[in-house]
Amino acid sequence: MTELGIGIGWRPEIAEAVEGLTGVDWVEVVAENICADHLPDSLTRLRRRGVTVVPHGVSLGLGGADRPDPGRLAALGEKAVALGAPLVTEHIAFVRAGGRSPRPRRSKRATCFPCPAPGTPSTCSARTCGSPRTRCPCRSPWRTSPP
């Protein structure tokens, strides 16, 4: 895979500022915050300008013992396809067990609260890198990050 260049995180609150930046080659958008069939206008304008947009998942739970939910994987794949993304990114984190999130009671975050997953570089690689349990339907390569 080729290097993406200089990137920045895109959020609706800073969309206008990100659009105004020069020298940005790619942006990363939280996948759970967008819909594949109705992309934010700002992301569409950035894509027209040649900026690569990469969906970043935060709720698959790659660090847990359970397999990622097929619906979440499919949704991430749909967003990657809609964005024309060359890859997807996701945290190797524990985000739920038995359908419950470990988020603090006072937290307003509804979807997940990433917690560090124990492991070594080799176990982290086994959780992603083409593992059948994490194959994205869009067939995009994975890049992972700590929580």
Side-chain angles (χ1 to χ4, degrees), residues 52-126:
T52 300
V53 180
V54 173
H56 174 71
V58 296
S59 65
L60 286 180
L62 297 179
D66 296 333
R67 292 180 180 271
D69 178 83
R72 290 179 192 272
L73 277 171
L76 181 59
E78 290 168 8
K79 292 165 188 178
V81 169
L83 293 166
L87 62 101
V88 295
T89 62
E90 170 70 55
H91 291 281
I92 295 182
F94 172 80
V95 296
R96 83 186 60 71
R100 296 185 55 161
S101 170
R103 70 181 168 87
R105 291 178 191 246
R106 294 185 189 130
S107 174
K108 303 239 187 236
R109 294 173 69 178
T111 56
C112 71
F113 190 83
C115 297
T120 65
S122 62
T123 59
C124 290
S125 179

